Amino acid sequence: MSCRGFGILVLAGAAAVCSFGQTDGLRAAARRRGFLVGAAVNPSLLAQDAYASALAREFNLVVAENAMKFAPTEPARGEFNFDGADRMAEFARAHGMKVRGHNLVWHQSLPKWLTEGSWSREEAMQILHDHIRAVMAHFKGKLLCWDVVNEAIAYGQPFGPQKSFWLEKIGPEYVDMAFRWAREADPDVKLYYNETGGEGAGAKSDATYKLVKGMRDRGVPIDGVGLQMHVTVQRAPTVEALSANIKRLGKLGLEVQITEMDVRIPVPVADTDLIAQADVYRNVARACLANSNCKALITWGVSDAHSWIPAKHPGFGAALLFDAEYRPKPAYQAVVDVLGSR
Ligand code: G3I
């Protein structure tokens, strides 16, 4: 196991971790490269020193794991709550970090007042338009980019439109509408389409490419594609496939960000899995940095202490760059090494 730059390998319980040594860390390596490394944030954890200090030291971008979604931001029609998101944005400002907006339109995290109401197509369009306008106005000038639409393509074959309140009420045009309304609301922020499971080669990434190409052809204002990257060691894209996908999106004039990376492994963790996990992070960082349109690598959480994985994938966890004690894992060093190489 390699801990290059850290010097010492320590054994903590069953898990091998790298202790801090000479390196000045991920954020510094990213800054030297002009690159963004980010983490999904739960604003209520910012009060914890270990969480806040790791976040500010190691990352230069934040994204709200949940706090900017529809349900928390518009808990009643026309009534908005930005408490958590504002705390995160203030933390980012205080520490010189960029902020991604996540997300304006999704089929999940919708409030009951919306999904249990009885709305005409026009009313649903009005609600969506009002939501986009109000939320974007609140954060205007503070964000780098917004995930305008999240996961509009079904999770399984044949990768048609994802069933959702918006699809049912408005039809598939809701995607184009949302981007046009977003551009009206803020002409400066970058507008992203964010998708899961279509990172490398295959039918899902082809469906994603087709969707965003259609948008470009129709003149819909879209600036980038988020490739989420919730993967396992066995089902991670190769450097070649990921790089080719990033490249073809670039040829459409689109930026890419790796928006939600985690690599779940069986728990309790085995050292061999930590090494294999590091290889996946290394490959993704390499593919991203090999393409000038790939602007950021963001992990879906700060450390293994707080991650959505154990609740949704029982038997798996330990998916991030830091362990539950905020110690850097081999995956951390792998990303630092890629950022430092030319
Ligand atoms: O906040 C409520 C709390 O009041 C309530 O008591 C509790 C009871 O279950 O639920 C809490 O809400 C949970 C929320 O996370 C905040 O912790 C929801 O149940 C839970 O479904 C929600 O899960 C989030 C999920 O998106 C759905 O919004 C995960 O934390 C979050 O990691 C996950 O993130 C998504 C991305 O947005 C899009 N891509 C996939 C990714 C993973 O699913």
Side-chain angles (χ1 to χ4, degrees):
M1 166 175 182
S2 158
C3 282
R4 203 144 51 82
F6 284 90
I8 324 163
L9 169 68
V10 291
L11 285 174
V17 296
C18 298
S19 74
F20 270 112
Q22 304 89 335
T23 181
D24 52 359
L26 185 62
R27 181 174 179 164
R31 188 191 61 237
R32 282 193 289 273
R33 194 76 187 240
F35 190 68
L36 294 169
V37 285
V41 165
N42 175 345
S44 64
L45 298 174
L46 292 171
Q48 296 182 10
D49 280 352
Y51 183 90
S53 61
L55 181 63
R57 184 184 66 238
E58 301 291 346
F59 299 95
N60 55 13
L61 180 149
V62 292
V63 56
E65 182 172 2
N66 290 301
M68 288 191 188
K69 292 173 182 174
F70 201 121
T73 54
E74 194 174 350
R77 187 171 181 188
E79 287 177 24
F80 294 89
N81 182 341
F82 300 114
D83 290 354
D86 282 348
R87 260 183 289 137
M88 185 194 75
E90 173 50 28
F91 182 92
R93 193 202 55 74
H95 294 91
M97 306 164 92
K98 305 277 186 206
V99 184
R100 298 191 88 241
H102 173 82
N103 56 53
L104 294 164
V105 189
W106 192 24
H107 63 280
Q108 293 186 36
S109 193
L110 293 175
K112 282 197 175 150
W113 67 260
L114 178 67
T115 53
E116 293 179 0
S118 140
W119 312 102
S120 67
R121 180 172 193 265
E122 284 61 37
E123 285 169 327
M125 284 167 56
Q126 190 66 53
I127 289 168
L128 184 57
H129 194 168
D130 290 348
H131 181 80
I132 290 172
R133 199 168 21 212
V135 175
M136 289 186 76
H138 181 84
F139 291 107
K140 200 167 183 175
K142 295 183 177 166
L143 306 192
L144 173 70
C145 58
W146 262 111
D147 286 335
V148 178
V149 176
N150 192 47
E151 300 168 15
I153 300 170
Y155 297 132
Q157 295 275 7
F159 301 116
Q162 169 64 43
K163 284 201 178 103
S164 79
F165 173 86
W166 305 115
L167 182 74
E168 188 193 317
K169 295 289 173 195
I170 301 176
E173 313 84 83
Y174 81 87
V175 175
D176 287 9
M177 286 174 186
F179 277 85
R180 293 190 197 282
W181 291 332
R183 180 53 79 230
E184 263 169 41
D186 186 341
D188 300 319
V189 74
K190 303 240 184 200
L191 305 181
Y192 268 68
Y193 174 72
N194 194 41
E195 190 52 270
T196 187
E199 292 86 7
K204 181 73 181 267
S205 78
D206 289 349
T208 306
Y209 178 81
K210 196 172 157 210
L211 176 75
V212 297
K213 179 172 190 311
M215 291 168 72
R216 293 291 284 175
D217 292 346
R218 292 189 295 278
V220 176
I222 173 173
D223 301 301
V225 174
L227 302 177
Q228 292 188 9
M229 204 67 70
H230 296 291
V231 295
T232 60
V233 167
Q234 291 74 24
R235 305 188 71 174
T238 62
V239 179
E240 294 72 25
L242 176 58
S243 187
N245 196 26
I246 294 170
K247 235 180 243 345
R248 71 172 168 168
L249 292 166
K251 285 192 182 143
L252 296 178
L254 295 169
E255 291 186 353
V256 169
Q257 295 180 0
I258 308 300
T259 49
E260 304 186 12
M261 185 161 182
D262 46 33
V263 183
R264 58 187 181 272
I265 56 177
V267 286
V269 297
D271 282 354
T272 48
D273 286 333
L274 289 172
I275 302 302
Q277 176 185 64
D279 288 341
V280 176
Y281 273 99
R282 181 181 299 106
N283 288 346
V284 169
R286 271 193 190 145
C288 183
L289 284 159
N291 293 281
S292 59
N293 63 316
C294 190
K295 305 292 187 188
L297 195 167
I298 298 137
T299 59
W300 205 237
V302 175
S303 86
D304 294 339
H306 309 100
S307 158
W308 71 294
I309 294 290
K312 288 288 156 66
H313 297 277
F316 285 81
L320 295 165
L321 299 177
F322 294 89
D323 74 7
E325 310 294 328
Y326 296 93
R327 288 173 301 211
K329 293 157 63 182
Y332 170 92
Q333 190 57 43
V335 178
V336 171
D337 285 348
V338 174
L339 284 166
S341 67
R342 284 283 170 182

